[in-house]
Amino acid sequence: MFKRVGWSLLILLLSVLTLGYVFRMPITLHFVAPSLQDSGVELHCLDWSLTTNLELHVQRACIGYQGQQLELADITVNTKQVIINRANLRLATPASSAGSSAATKLALTLIENRPLLTVNRLVISHPQLAKSLAISVHEPILNQFAVSGDITARASLFTDHVTGQVKLDNELVSKVKHIARLNINSQNRFSFDGVGLTLDSQIDGQYAAELESCAITFKVNGNVSSQYDLNTKRLTLDGQQLISSLAAQENCLQQIAKLTTDTKQQQFIAKQTPLHWQLQLPAQILWQDNTLQLDTVNFVAATSELKVNNLNVNINDLPNSLKAELAFSLQNDEIKKFNLAAQIAAHEAIGKYQLDLVQLPDFIVEDAKNLTSNGEFTVNDIFTAAYGRLSAQFAIGKLTINELVVNRYQGTLTAGINKQRYLTAALDSQIDTLNVSDYKLTQLTNNLNASGSLGLGELFIDITSETTLAALQSELINLNNIKVSSRAMQSRALQASHQVMIDDIEVIVTHHMSSTAHPVDVIIPEQSIARFNPILHQFAPLATLTDGTVSAQVKGDINLLAAEMTLQLNGVNGLYNDYLINGFNSQLAGRYDSGQLNVKPTKFDINELRAGAIVENITGFLQLQDSEAVLTTLNGEVMGGSFTLDKYRVTGQAQQALLTFKNIDASKVITLDEKSGVSLTGRVAGTLPVYFTDSGIEVKDGQLTNQGAAKLLITNNAAFNAVKAQQQELGPILGLLENLDIQSIKSSVNLKPDGWMTLGVNLQGYNKPQAQQVNFNYNHEENVFTLLRALRLSDEITQKVEQEYSTKGSNND
């Protein structure tokens, strides 16, 4: 019976084993799959069997983990080895989950006597891989693995970490992502503890890029260490031992040359563009949450350096998140010094700069030496430069532009533009001296303000300016204490008005400048003519204007060099040495064209001219012919009679004029002093041909004759009495002249340039007391300039008037 029971149990056990083996697949999936599922592993398929050597042979196994799919085939498992002949790993980017569990430190349970693992062929694929990777894995020693194939690596397992090394080369990179002209070779040692990954890399790489026929080569060589935390997603790199360089070929300068066709400009740009740069990385580069942070990075060239400090940027929000400190410097033969420093944050760049040039580049026609500039700037939108502020200071030792030479210029510029594109700018300038052709300006200061909208539509800029000038000097004229107040509007053309004050002289200028025309209107408002004395003294130092008013207007076009002008003089009084003029009036109208000024004959009048002899009620015509002044038909009253001068050209060239006298009171000509005892009554007339030469004024063959009866009386004249006493034989004859009724006076007049006048006098008359007819010839020579000076000095009234007007002229404004 026991035998029967034993066989029954054996048959039952064999039946169970048989059924279990037959139904091994569903039974395994039923019991194994749930336990794997607790670890996040999904078992999709499993097909295994036992070999005749009692080895486990798995024909196929399908495993899934967080979207990654692993298919294993042809697996042999025994007590010494697990051999996987074929495997396919399909990687997928796992979706991020806020509720995903945090990584923990490794706590591996390493079985000391487990079979060694061998994977003969593992194919790894991923949507972002250019090609699938094929590798093999071999475990020669327990927990130490060697990877060959497309990836060459070694790894060692420990209870709390994994270490190893992996090689990265061109072949591997090309399968990950094909990058043309990339040549890289690196050895990477890694350590992973379940949370943190540490990587030490020895890199030797080169990348050649070509942008529009510009070849650029980027090389890296050296050590890089990095750490990555799975929980914080924080990547930290140390690149200070990495040597990086960037080299551009000479043909890259040809691309820069396309910016301009000027050869000198191309040469200048080429000199300022280094072709070789080195990149210096810091000890810490941080990457976390798509944010890059680094302490400093330097781009260094032979003559330039760009330093980026405290960089912080999120690549997903680049415009808004960028923060950095920039410092750029440049120094070479062309640019003595150029430094720029800026802080960038929240679309805003705030910085300062400094520029120092020995002279301007050759391609600039202007010649500026010892040029320096420094200032501060603010750009509120660095990506569009939409608005911001600039404050800059400029200094130029010497600037030459054609005939313009500026010595020691200093300027301060402040400018700003807001979000509405409204621009405001102010420029304060100081210049020691400025030379333009034959003009020299000294101590010029200018304050220029401009404002306007740069938005859509027509551009309008409002401009105001205040200018002061200590002196303007030229061969023709010198002006002092100049002030100019200007207002202008710039749109399609410039419309401006200026109020100019020159030593209290007021001038108003308005003009409209466009590409086709430049009309200008210059107005001198009516004002005291005495204000023009500083200008007059430059042409006539002995002249002084005392009373009267002046006004003028000029209308023309600067481009055409043509203008119409008028000049009004009212009641002008003045002094010239010992000469006094009262009541000059005139209104001149003329035209300037083709470099010449022409004024049609214009009448003028003068109330009185005192030049020893008093000349009154003078009238005449003033005319300008090709900038040469001409006086014509000059009439006046003198010594009780009248005179006429036919024509006089105000020029240094030789000329002749005819001076005609009529009805002159002889007593005023001859009676020099009431105490002289000599008097002559009657009227005389005459003509004097006057010659103006380089030597002076001459009168040749002038004639004087009497008009009607005249009388000569000589009483108690000391000189006359002395002659009679010395030459008694002439006494009776000379006595005839003491009381002579003159019937005829004829006199020739000749005047030399030195002032000596010779008179040939013939007197014919009748002495009633002695009933004697008289015919007297007399030659007289005297310096008329000395005589006129004596006349002026002996005229007490004239002296008093001159003194009064001299005082008034010095105080009159």
Side-chain angles (χ1 to χ4, degrees):
M1 182 175 177
F2 286 105
K3 187 176 181 179
R4 184 184 298 176
V5 172
W7 279 106
S8 298
L9 292 174
L10 177 61
I11 293 172
L12 179 61
L13 177 61
L14 290 174
S15 299
V16 171
L17 292 174
T18 301
L19 290 174
Y21 182 77
V22 172
F23 297 98
R24 64 188 182 277
M25 303 306 174
I27 293 173
T28 303
L29 291 176
H30 178 75
F31 289 100
V32 175
S35 62
L36 293 177
Q37 217 168 26
D38 294 338
S39 300
V41 179
E42 298 177 358
L43 182 62
H44 298 290
C45 69
L46 180 64
D47 185 2
W48 59 272
S49 63
L50 294 175
T51 66
T52 57
N53 298 324
L54 296 180
E55 294 180 334
L56 179 64
H57 183 263
V58 180
Q59 286 81 11
R60 185 173 178 235
C62 304
I63 302 173
Y65 179 74
Q66 294 185 352
Q68 324 300 324
Q69 300 296 325
L70 176 62
E71 293 183 7
L72 305 174
D74 194 8
I75 304 171
T76 300
V77 181
N78 56 36
T79 58
K80 293 182 178 181
Q81 285 186 329
V82 176
I83 300 174
I84 304 174
N85 287 314
R86 299 186 308 278
N88 289 319
L89 175 61
R90 290 190 296 273
L91 299 175
T93 303
S96 60
S97 175
S100 59
S101 60
T104 59
K105 293 285 187 177
L106 291 179
L108 302 177
T109 301
L110 302 180
I111 303 174
E112 295 182 359
N113 296 317
R114 68 170 177 80
L116 300 178
L117 176 65
T118 298
V119 180
N120 291 326
R121 179 179 174 81
L122 171 60
V123 178
I124 304 173
S125 60
H126 189 277
Q128 295 183 357
L129 288 176
K131 294 181 180 180
S132 298
L133 302 176
I135 63 173
S136 62
V137 181
H138 179 59
E139 186 181 14
I141 301 175
L142 188 63
N143 298 327
Q144 295 185 14
F145 300 89
V147 181
S148 59
D150 290 338
I151 298 177
T152 301
R154 291 185 178 275
S156 299
L157 293 180
F158 300 92
T159 57
D160 58 351
H161 65 284
V162 180
T163 63
Q165 60 184 23
V166 61
K167 180 181 179 181
L168 181 66
D169 55 17
N170 293 335
E171 185 177 353
L172 176 58
V173 171
S174 64
K175 291 187 176 183
V176 174
K177 185 175 183 180
H178 179 70
I179 303 176
R181 296 182 294 276
L182 174 65
N183 186 7
I184 189 170
N185 187 6
S186 69
Q187 295 291 339
N188 308 275
R189 299 182 61 85
F190 65 88
S191 176
F192 178 64
D193 63 0
V195 175
L197 173 65
T198 300
L199 189 66
D200 292 320
S201 304
Q202 175 66 45
I203 301 176
D204 184 8
Q206 176 178 309
Y207 173 68
E210 188 168 337
L211 305 173
E212 296 184 0
S213 301
C214 173
I216 301 175
T217 301
F218 184 72
K219 294 182 179 181
V220 293
N221 183 271
N223 296 321
V224 177
S225 62
S226 57
Q227 296 85 34
Y228 181 71
D229 190 297
L230 293 177
N231 290 328
T232 62
K233 305 297 189 295
R234 179 188 180 100
L235 174 64
T236 305
L237 293 93
D238 181 359
Q240 61 181 340
Q241 297 184 22
L242 186 67
I243 300 174
S244 303
S245 64
L246 185 148
Q249 301 300 319
E250 292 290 338
N251 56 5
C252 295
L253 296 177
Q254 298 177 1
Q255 303 300 322
I256 300 175
K258 294 180 180 179
L259 300 174
T260 176
T261 58
D262 187 274
T263 303
K264 291 184 177 180
Q265 292 184 16
Q266 294 174 356
Q267 294 174 350
F268 176 79
I269 295 174
K271 289 182 180 180
Q272 315 313 314
T273 308
L275 296 177
H276 301 277
W277 292 82
Q278 283 192 345
L279 174 63
Q280 299 174 351
L281 295 174
Q284 179 173 300
I285 301 175
L286 179 63
W287 176 270
Q288 186 177 13
D289 298 331
N290 295 320
T291 299
L292 174 65
Q293 299 180 21
L294 55 83
D295 295 333
T296 180
V297 57
N298 288 358
F299 298 87
V300 182
T303 59
S304 306
E305 181 178 4
L306 174 62
K307 181 179 292 186
V308 182
N309 294 329
N310 300 323
L311 175 64
N312 190 315
V313 59
N314 187 306
I315 61 170
N316 293 332
D317 190 16
L318 178 62
N320 298 315
S321 64
L322 178 61
K323 295 181 180 180
E325 298 175 4
L326 303 180
F328 177 76
S329 63
L330 172 64
Q331 186 174 2
N332 54 35
D333 295 338
E334 301 286 341
I335 300 176
K336 187 176 180 180
K337 180 193 297 183
F338 176 65
N339 294 330
L340 184 145
Q343 292 183 345
I344 301 175
H347 293 262
E348 183 178 74
I350 301 175
K352 58 184 178 180
Y353 75 93
Q354 181 179 2
L355 176 65
D356 191 351
L357 295 178
V358 177
Q359 62 183 19
L360 286 177
D362 293 339
F363 67 85
I364 299 179
V365 178
E366 295 76 14
D367 180 19
K369 296 182 178 180
N370 302 324
L371 185 150
T372 63
S373 176
N374 60 81
E376 300 177 351
F377 61 87
T378 300
V379 180
N380 296 94
D381 194 332
I382 58 176
F383 296 97
T384 62
Y387 59 102
R389 294 195 62 80
L390 169 67
S391 175
Q393 294 181 344
F394 307 95
I396 302 176
K398 187 175 182 180
L399 172 64
T400 303
I401 306 175
N402 296 329
E403 295 184 347
L404 172 67
V405 179
V406 178
N407 290 302
R408 297 189 64 183
Y409 169 83
Q410 292 183 337
T412 301
L413 172 67
T414 57
I417 183 171
N418 61 18
K419 294 182 178 180
Q420 289 73 37
R421 310 288 288 174
Y422 190 84
L423 171 70
T424 59
L427 176 62
D428 295 329
S429 301
Q430 295 181 348
I431 298 175
D432 277 9
T433 60
L434 186 150
N435 296 80
V436 184
S437 185
D438 297 329
Y439 296 90
K440 179 180 180 181
L441 288 73
T442 305
Q443 295 181 8
L444 184 149
T445 65
N446 174 262
N447 178 260
L448 178 68
N449 292 275
S451 61
S453 176
L454 302 182
L456 298 177
E458 187 173 347
L459 178 67
F460 290 93
I461 300 294
D462 290 313
I463 302 172
T464 60
S465 174
E466 296 290 336
T467 304
T468 62
L469 183 63
L472 186 153
Q473 299 170 297
S474 69
E475 294 182 358
L476 178 63
I477 192 173
N478 296 328
L479 303 176
N480 300 308
N481 301 323
I482 302 173
K483 297 180 180 180
V484 182
S485 298
S486 306
R487 290 186 175 275
M489 167 68 77
Q490 174 65 58
S491 54
R492 297 178 182 176
L494 176 67
Q495 302 179 37
S497 63
H498 314 272
Q499 182 186 34
V500 184
M501 300 297 296
I502 308 172
D503 268 336
D504 294 329
I505 299 172
E506 183 181 6
V507 180
I508 298 174
V509 181
T510 58
H511 60 107
H512 185 169
M513 183 170 61
S514 67
S515 59
T516 58
H518 191 175
V520 63
D521 190 355
V522 180
I523 299 175
I524 299 178
E526 185 174 354
Q527 55 197 289
S528 172
I529 199 168
R531 298 179 179 179
F532 291 81
N533 278 322
I535 298 176
L536 177 63
H537 290 162
Q538 299 178 47
F539 301 96
L542 301 178
T544 300
L545 299 170
T546 57
D547 282 311
T549 61
V550 61
S551 61
Q553 184 172 12
V554 179
K555 284 188 174 183
D557 192 294
I558 295 178
N559 292 348
L560 300 177
L561 295 178
E564 301 283 346
M565 55 192 67
T566 59
L567 174 66
Q568 179 75 46
L569 298 170
N570 294 318
V572 177
N573 300 338
L575 292 169
Y576 181 79
N577 197 0
D578 297 326
Y579 301 96
L580 173 67
I581 185 173
N582 287 327
F584 181 90
N585 301 281
S586 184
Q587 183 174 357
L588 305 176
R591 177 173 178 79
Y592 179 85
D593 196 0
S594 301
Q596 300 294 334
L597 178 61
N598 291 278
V599 175
K600 59 185 179 181
T602 303
K603 184 179 180 181
F604 67 88
D605 62 80
I606 302 173
N607 292 341
E608 182 181 58
L609 172 64
R610 290 176 176 264
I614 299 176
V615 185
E616 299 175 316
N617 300 324
I618 303 171
T619 61
F621 291 88
L622 174 62
Q623 180 180 4
L624 265 71
Q625 296 177 333
D626 294 337
S627 301
E628 181 180 273
V630 181
L631 298 176
T632 58
T633 317
L634 188 64
N635 299 294
E637 298 176 359
V638 61
M639 297 182 182
S642 63
F643 74 91
T644 299
L645 179 67
D646 62 344
K647 184 177 183 180
Y648 172 68
R649 292 182 288 112
V650 185
T651 178
Q653 297 178 357
Q655 59 180 304
Q656 179 184 355
L658 182 62
L659 181 61
T660 303
F661 293 96
K662 294 181 180 180
N663 203 31
I664 300 298
D665 187 348
S667 65
K668 296 183 178 181
V669 177
I670 300 300
T671 305
L672 304 181
D673 192 337
E674 292 180 358
K675 298 179 180 180
S676 65
V678 179
S679 64
L680 178 66
T681 60
R683 299 284 174 175
V684 296
T687 58
L688 300 178
V690 184
Y691 296 85
F692 300 90
T693 66
D694 294 337
S695 300
I697 301 175
E698 290 188 69
V699 175
K700 298 179 181 180
D701 299 328
Q703 300 292 328
L704 291 177
T705 59
N706 65 305
Q707 289 182 285
K711 187 174 184 63
L712 175 65
L713 295 175
I714 302 176
T715 59
N716 297 325
N717 184 275
F720 190 78
N721 293 335
V723 172
K724 289 195 302 180
Q726 293 173 4
Q727 302 183 36
Q728 295 182 3
E729 69 279 7
L730 297 177
I733 298 175
L734 294 176
L736 295 174
L737 299 175
E738 292 179 337
N739 188 353
L740 181 65
D741 293 323
I742 299 175
Q743 299 167 339
S744 172
I745 300 177
K746 295 180 180 179
S747 176
S748 63
V749 182
N750 290 279
L751 175 66
K752 297 297 182 181
D754 57 3
W756 284 99
M757 182 176 65
T758 302
L759 299 176
V761 181
N762 174 255
L763 295 178
Q764 296 180 6
Y766 182 74
N767 188 308
K768 288 183 179 181
Q770 299 185 30
Q772 180 68 44
Q773 191 75 28
V774 177
N775 187 355
F776 180 70
N777 294 310
Y778 172 64
N779 290 325
H780 177 74
E781 186 175 359
E782 187 169 5
N783 192 298
V784 69
F785 296 158
T786 303
L787 176 62
L788 291 175
R789 187 174 297 110
L791 284 172
R792 292 194 300 273
L793 294 176
S794 65
D795 189 343
E796 293 182 0
I797 297 177
T798 299
Q799 287 181 354
K800 290 181 180 180
V801 172
E802 289 176 352
Q803 181 179 4
E804 177 184 352
Y805 276 96
S806 296
T807 303
K808 183 183 297 184
S810 63
N811 296 327
N812 198 338
D813 57 358

